[in-house]
Amino acid sequence: MAPTTSTMPATGIRWADHSLALAQRATPAERRAGTAAPAFGTALTEHMISARWSPEHGWHATEIVPYRPLRLDPATVALHYGQSVFEGLKAFRRPDGVPVLFRAADHGRRFQRSAARLAMPALAVDDFVAALSALVRTDEAWVPYEEARSLYLRPLMFAADASLALRPAATYRFLVVAFVTESFFGSTAGPVSVWAGRDYIRAAPGGTGDIKYGGNYAPTYLAQQQAAEHDCQQVVWLDATERRWVEEMGGMNIFFVRREGGRDVLTTPPLTGTLLPGVTRESILTLSAGLGLPCAERPVSLSQWRDEVASGVITEAFACGTAAVLTPIGRVVTEDGGFDAGAGEPGKVCGRLRDALVAVQRGVVPDPYGWRTAVR
Ligand code: COI
């Protein structure tokens, strides 16, 4: 029988509107004219990287192509079983106008670890960085000059077999798309409020919480809805076993500033295997040493957070990630009530660290750690 859509009830959904992605893209000229900040993930550039992997040929068909929708078999493995990993990193403009990738090789190494956890092939770190550089070179006009903006790069690898057998696919695709970004939290300026509920968890020991995998994100949406019901913008994740230890905030790592022996100590939960080893987290730990700010990787419990704010030990809390950079946390809401996340002052330490990070990302200070890759 010929396929038909005539029995499909009218839902108002436009099933095949390929024009949407194109229409959402602002041109570089429009951006220079000072268009409003594009919503996160919508101002996609004109090109993308595409490559394929097969056991016979390894990585092949490596191309820079115009940004366009994919043609996928409905039995594509990644759509059904989630064998798919991604990364998120940024390109900035140096003061002399040269675009730079920030910590591209570190993202490449994490991409390899994510792929290995899902039994997917490795992409060499050099090839990963070369792909990002090629896209940034091609769409160079899209790398913003404005200080508040950057080009967010989204590498993705997914299982491409058209077969619903429950086993690792034999073939894979690698893509990189890019978009202009400004603020991850939209128009929200200033500290965010967070919901620390106990109904849902983000990650469990032995699971996938320490890799960049789509399956870590969609299951957080219901908790995010609960957060909104409690007038909070984000979720704070507690550990799966005791629902006691603070692990992350939303899709970001979390830091506390604690007064210890008359000095500030930057404190962040240790990488137990259920936390994402954030590149921004690691950058902050490294930069804090240069600022003379001691840091400790130590667990902090939710009750400790509340008590230590009350006793003046915890003075600040903030989250960090590639997309959101450093974001102060203002208030914590729990099933038993709520408390201020820090001493209520503007986060001085958070501000210092943010400035230090942005300066190294944008190339306005030297790069002692070799974090920047110039794209020429
Ligand atoms: C990032 O911080 O870049 C992230 O990956 C968060 C995200 C999934 C939007």
Side-chain angles (χ1 to χ4, degrees):
M1 207 168 71
T4 172
T5 55
S6 60
T7 54
M8 194 76 81
T11 59
I13 295 172
R14 289 182 298 164
W15 290 100
D17 191 351
H18 299 307
S19 63
L20 194 60
L22 291 165
Q24 282 175 337
R25 267 177 265 158
T27 65
E30 280 169 338
R31 282 189 303 101
R32 291 219 186 84
T35 50
F40 185 80
T42 58
L44 289 141
T45 68
E46 285 152 288
H47 294 86
M48 63 185 194
I49 297 285
S50 170
R52 293 173 189 273
W53 189 91
S54 68
E56 310 82 52
H57 305 295
W59 288 109
H60 65 283
T62 51
E63 300 175 293
I64 305 169
V65 293
Y67 185 98
R68 61 181 178 224
L70 306 175
R71 287 183 64 233
L72 289 181
D73 192 292
T76 300
V77 170
L79 299 177
H80 297 263
Y81 304 135
Q83 203 188 3
S84 176
V85 295
F86 69 95
E87 265 304 320
L89 68 156
K90 285 178 173 171
F92 301 88
R93 276 289 169 191
R94 264 185 356 202
D96 64 0
V98 172
V100 288
L101 304 172
F102 187 66
R103 302 201 69 171
D106 296 294
H107 285 277
R109 283 186 271 277
R110 189 171 66 184
F111 195 59
Q112 284 190 337
R113 289 198 300 274
S114 299
R117 175 64 179 81
L118 296 195
M120 300 167 82
L123 176 66
V125 170
D126 285 352
D127 291 338
F128 178 89
V129 176
L132 299 168
S133 300
L135 183 59
V136 169
R137 204 172 291 119
T138 305
D139 282 344
E140 207 241 289
W142 293 79
V143 183
Y145 285 86
E146 301 94 323
E147 203 189 306
R149 296 185 180 182
S150 56
L151 191 71
Y152 186 101
L153 298 153
R154 175 51 67 85
L156 167 76
M157 193 202 302
F158 66 88
D161 286 10
S163 152
L164 297 183
L166 193 56
R167 58 166 186 248
T171 60
Y172 294 86
R173 277 196 82 176
F174 172 66
L175 303 171
V176 188
V177 297
F179 56 87
V180 175
T181 183
E182 183 168 317
S183 167
F184 181 68
F185 289 112
S187 55
T188 307
V192 294
S193 51
V194 295
W195 163 244
R198 290 190 160 83
D199 291 345
Y200 303 108
I201 56 155
R202 176 188 168 275
T208 55
D210 61 346
I211 61 163
K212 203 110 182 103
Y213 158 56
N216 292 338
Y217 293 84
T220 69
Y221 294 162
L222 276 187
Q224 187 62 40
Q225 282 176 17
Q226 278 193 338
E229 284 157 18
H230 290 87
D231 287 327
C232 290
Q233 292 149 296
Q234 282 289 318
V235 173
V236 156
W237 295 107
L238 303 177
D239 73 292
T241 314
E242 298 180 71
R243 305 284 208 279
R244 178 174 173 211
W245 303 103
V246 176
E247 294 203 326
E248 293 197 7
M249 185 199 93
M252 287 156 265
N253 293 120
I254 193 164
F255 278 86
F256 302 90
V257 180
R258 299 180 72 247
R259 293 296 292 171
E260 283 181 29
R263 57 182 194 163
D264 288 329
V265 177
L266 200 57
T267 305
T268 194
L271 299 178
T272 54
T274 52
L275 279 73
L276 187 75
V279 175
T280 310
R281 174 188 184 279
E282 209 277 322
S283 304
I284 289 171
L285 289 173
T286 303
L287 291 171
S288 66
L291 295 175
L293 186 64
C295 40
E297 293 180 73
R298 251 189 250 141
V300 173
S301 71
L302 184 61
S303 57
Q304 176 189 356
W305 189 358
R306 185 193 52 225
D307 295 348
E308 290 193 348
V309 169
S311 64
V313 174
I314 291 183
T315 55
E316 292 179 40
F318 60 88
C320 70
T322 296
V325 199
L326 271 69
T327 301
I329 303 174
R331 188 152 178 82
V332 186
V333 179
T334 69
E335 284 148 5
D336 321 315
F339 60 92
D340 289 333
E345 295 172 6
K348 290 196 195 80
V349 175
C350 175
R352 273 177 76 201
L353 287 164
R354 191 181 194 290
D355 291 349
L357 178 64
V358 170
V360 69
Q361 287 175 327
R362 300 198 161 271
V364 298
V365 293
D367 180 22
Y369 310 108
W371 286 345
R372 297 192 293 254
T373 305
V375 179
R376 291 172 207 275

